[in-house]
Amino acid sequence: MTNSSGKLKQMIDEASTIVFFGGAGVSTASGIPDFRGTYGLFQQKRGISYEEMLSREHFKENPEDFYSFYTKGMLYPEAEPNGAHKAVAELEHRGKLAAVITQNIDGLHTIAGNTNVIELHGSALKNHCLKCGASYGVEKILEASGKVPYCNCGGIIKPDVVLYNESLDSYAIEKAIKHISSCDLLIVAGTSLVVYPAAGFVKYARGNIVLLNRDATAYDSYADLVIHEDLEKVLYEAVFNEN
């Protein structure tokens, strides 16, 4: 066990109520690229920015182009939970974890076994018809093979994800802040903490804070423990006590 894993393990052992707040870096070990890393989606060149490509306006005005990118760049049906997801699920199994707050849309925390998952940006596994409201799984999107998926009623199907220029669900924000402000250990992992309002959630913490991220963040000074290492390895070792 590394020194960092040992320090995190001690904080986990001493905590009674833990909240895990994760970003894209939690899922990179599952083969899902992040946005702002060296090989992230934002580093790849296209004619328009990814904020524009994944915006509400682009979805409405050019759904063909939206789905051509979304299906290839945002859906990873073969991805499975990695060691970090499994460690977080284990904390809930032990009765220590109150909630998972995630900026990811991949659904891997739920697949790993967590039951109280607050998906700030929605879930790519859920979709609905804009005309009749019928619900569809991700399979319906994949069946369209990059083309616009249509409901049986003829309406366009939209992913249940928060696109750029759309607001986060106020209820999800309220729940996230409530959990963060009432836990005695907040573990923040795999997020650069630059996207608001989620980035500002750290300020609501009243207990100990651990920031586990590859790169430094603007909130490192708020933390009781800062770890700039492989988060999957550190979390897995800290929870499963790997030597």
mmCIF file of all heavy atoms in Angstrom, residues 16-33:
data_model
loop_
_atom_site.group_PDB
_atom_site.id
_atom_site.type_symbol
_atom_site.label_atom_id
_atom_site.label_comp_id
_atom_site.label_asym_id
_atom_site.label_seq_id
_atom_site.Cartn_x
_atom_site.Cartn_y
_atom_site.Cartn_z
ATOM 1 N N SER A 16 -17.574 8.406 9.680
ATOM 2 C CA SER A 16 -18.832 7.680 9.856
ATOM 3 C C SER A 16 -19.779 7.907 8.679
ATOM 4 O O SER A 16 -20.586 7.041 8.341
ATOM 5 C CB SER A 16 -19.516 8.110 11.158
ATOM 6 O OG SER A 16 -19.773 9.508 11.146
ATOM 7 N N THR A 17 -19.679 9.076 8.040
ATOM 8 C CA THR A 17 -20.535 9.394 6.900
ATOM 9 C C THR A 17 -19.682 9.981 5.784
ATOM 10 O O THR A 17 -19.121 11.067 5.921
ATOM 11 C CB THR A 17 -21.626 10.424 7.283
ATOM 12 O OG1 THR A 17 -22.353 9.945 8.415
ATOM 13 C CG2 THR A 17 -22.586 10.633 6.119
ATOM 14 N N ILE A 18 -19.604 9.257 4.671
ATOM 15 C CA ILE A 18 -18.754 9.648 3.548
ATOM 16 C C ILE A 18 -19.613 9.991 2.338
ATOM 17 O O ILE A 18 -20.613 9.328 2.065
ATOM 18 C CB ILE A 18 -17.779 8.510 3.176
ATOM 19 C CG1 ILE A 18 -16.889 8.158 4.370
ATOM 20 C CG2 ILE A 18 -16.919 8.890 1.970
ATOM 21 C CD1 ILE A 18 -16.034 6.920 4.142
ATOM 22 N N VAL A 19 -19.198 11.014 1.622
ATOM 23 C CA VAL A 19 -19.803 11.344 0.331
ATOM 24 C C VAL A 19 -18.695 11.337 -0.708
ATOM 25 O O VAL A 19 -17.614 11.899 -0.485
ATOM 26 C CB VAL A 19 -20.501 12.717 0.359
ATOM 27 C CG1 VAL A 19 -20.870 13.162 -1.059
ATOM 28 C CG2 VAL A 19 -21.757 12.654 1.211
ATOM 29 N N PHE A 20 -18.960 10.710 -1.841
ATOM 30 C CA PHE A 20 -17.998 10.652 -2.936
ATOM 31 C C PHE A 20 -18.485 11.542 -4.069
ATOM 32 O O PHE A 20 -19.611 11.399 -4.543
ATOM 33 C CB PHE A 20 -17.849 9.218 -3.439
ATOM 34 C CG PHE A 20 -16.827 9.065 -4.551
ATOM 35 C CD1 PHE A 20 -15.486 8.906 -4.251
ATOM 36 C CD2 PHE A 20 -17.217 9.074 -5.884
ATOM 37 C CE1 PHE A 20 -14.543 8.773 -5.264
ATOM 38 C CE2 PHE A 20 -16.289 8.948 -6.900
ATOM 39 C CZ PHE A 20 -14.946 8.800 -6.591
ATOM 40 N N PHE A 21 -17.626 12.471 -4.487
ATOM 41 C CA PHE A 21 -17.959 13.406 -5.557
ATOM 42 C C PHE A 21 -16.956 13.196 -6.686
ATOM 43 O O PHE A 21 -15.784 13.513 -6.546
ATOM 44 C CB PHE A 21 -17.905 14.833 -5.020
ATOM 45 C CG PHE A 21 -18.163 15.909 -6.053
ATOM 46 C CD1 PHE A 21 -18.929 15.672 -7.180
ATOM 47 C CD2 PHE A 21 -17.636 17.179 -5.875
ATOM 48 C CE1 PHE A 21 -19.160 16.665 -8.121
ATOM 49 C CE2 PHE A 21 -17.860 18.185 -6.801
ATOM 50 C CZ PHE A 21 -18.627 17.931 -7.931
ATOM 51 N N GLY A 22 -17.418 12.632 -7.813
ATOM 52 C CA GLY A 22 -16.495 12.249 -8.872
ATOM 53 C C GLY A 22 -16.758 12.901 -10.216
ATOM 54 O O GLY A 22 -17.870 13.332 -10.516
ATOM 55 N N GLY A 23 -15.698 12.949 -11.017
ATOM 56 C CA GLY A 23 -15.780 13.484 -12.363
ATOM 57 C C GLY A 23 -15.266 12.499 -13.385
ATOM 58 O O GLY A 23 -15.120 11.298 -13.106
ATOM 59 N N ALA A 24 -14.950 12.993 -14.565
ATOM 60 C CA ALA A 24 -14.579 12.144 -15.699
ATOM 61 C C ALA A 24 -13.380 11.253 -15.412
ATOM 62 O O ALA A 24 -13.275 10.141 -15.927
ATOM 63 C CB ALA A 24 -14.308 13.015 -16.926
ATOM 64 N N GLY A 25 -12.446 11.733 -14.574
ATOM 65 C CA GLY A 25 -11.252 10.953 -14.282
ATOM 66 C C GLY A 25 -11.531 9.638 -13.596
ATOM 67 O O GLY A 25 -10.693 8.729 -13.630
ATOM 68 N N VAL A 26 -12.704 9.491 -12.992
ATOM 69 C CA VAL A 26 -13.057 8.236 -12.332
ATOM 70 C C VAL A 26 -13.269 7.127 -13.358
ATOM 71 O O VAL A 26 -13.029 5.952 -13.082
ATOM 72 C CB VAL A 26 -14.325 8.416 -11.466
ATOM 73 C CG1 VAL A 26 -14.759 7.096 -10.842
ATOM 74 C CG2 VAL A 26 -14.081 9.464 -10.386
ATOM 75 N N SER A 27 -13.699 7.495 -14.564
ATOM 76 C CA SER A 27 -14.051 6.481 -15.570
ATOM 77 C C SER A 27 -12.991 6.260 -16.648
ATOM 78 O O SER A 27 -13.178 5.416 -17.521
ATOM 79 C CB SER A 27 -15.380 6.855 -16.241
ATOM 80 O OG SER A 27 -16.446 6.786 -15.318
ATOM 81 N N THR A 28 -11.884 6.991 -16.604
ATOM 82 C CA THR A 28 -10.879 6.825 -17.658
ATOM 83 C C THR A 28 -10.286 5.417 -17.653
ATOM 84 O O THR A 28 -9.960 4.877 -18.711
ATOM 85 C CB THR A 28 -9.753 7.871 -17.528
ATOM 86 O OG1 THR A 28 -9.223 7.835 -16.197
ATOM 87 C CG2 THR A 28 -10.280 9.268 -17.815
ATOM 88 N N ALA A 29 -10.151 4.810 -16.469
ATOM 89 C CA ALA A 29 -9.612 3.451 -16.397
ATOM 90 C C ALA A 29 -10.574 2.426 -16.982
ATOM 91 O O ALA A 29 -10.199 1.277 -17.214
ATOM 92 C CB ALA A 29 -9.274 3.091 -14.949
ATOM 93 N N SER A 30 -11.819 2.835 -17.224
ATOM 94 C CA SER A 30 -12.802 1.959 -17.870
ATOM 95 C C SER A 30 -12.815 2.153 -19.384
ATOM 96 O O SER A 30 -13.655 1.590 -20.083
ATOM 97 C CB SER A 30 -14.210 2.239 -17.312
ATOM 98 O OG SER A 30 -14.292 1.910 -15.947
ATOM 99 N N GLY A 31 -11.879 2.979 -19.874
ATOM 100 C CA GLY A 31 -11.775 3.207 -21.314
ATOM 101 C C GLY A 31 -12.600 4.362 -21.832
ATOM 102 O O GLY A 31 -12.786 4.510 -23.040
ATOM 103 N N ILE A 32 -13.105 5.206 -20.924
ATOM 104 C CA ILE A 32 -13.896 6.371 -21.326
ATOM 105 C C ILE A 32 -13.020 7.613 -21.186
ATOM 106 O O ILE A 32 -12.601 7.944 -20.075
ATOM 107 C CB ILE A 32 -15.149 6.514 -20.450
ATOM 108 C CG1 ILE A 32 -16.024 5.254 -20.561
ATOM 109 C CG2 ILE A 32 -15.951 7.752 -20.865
ATOM 110 C CD1 ILE A 32 -17.241 5.266 -19.664
ATOM 111 N N PRO A 33 -12.708 8.301 -22.265
ATOM 112 C CA PRO A 33 -11.814 9.459 -22.173
ATOM 113 C C PRO A 33 -12.451 10.614 -21.413
ATOM 114 O O PRO A 33 -13.676 10.758 -21.387
ATOM 115 C CB PRO A 33 -11.563 9.845 -23.635
ATOM 116 C CG PRO A 33 -12.783 9.353 -24.359
ATOM 117 C CD PRO A 33 -13.165 8.075 -23.657
#
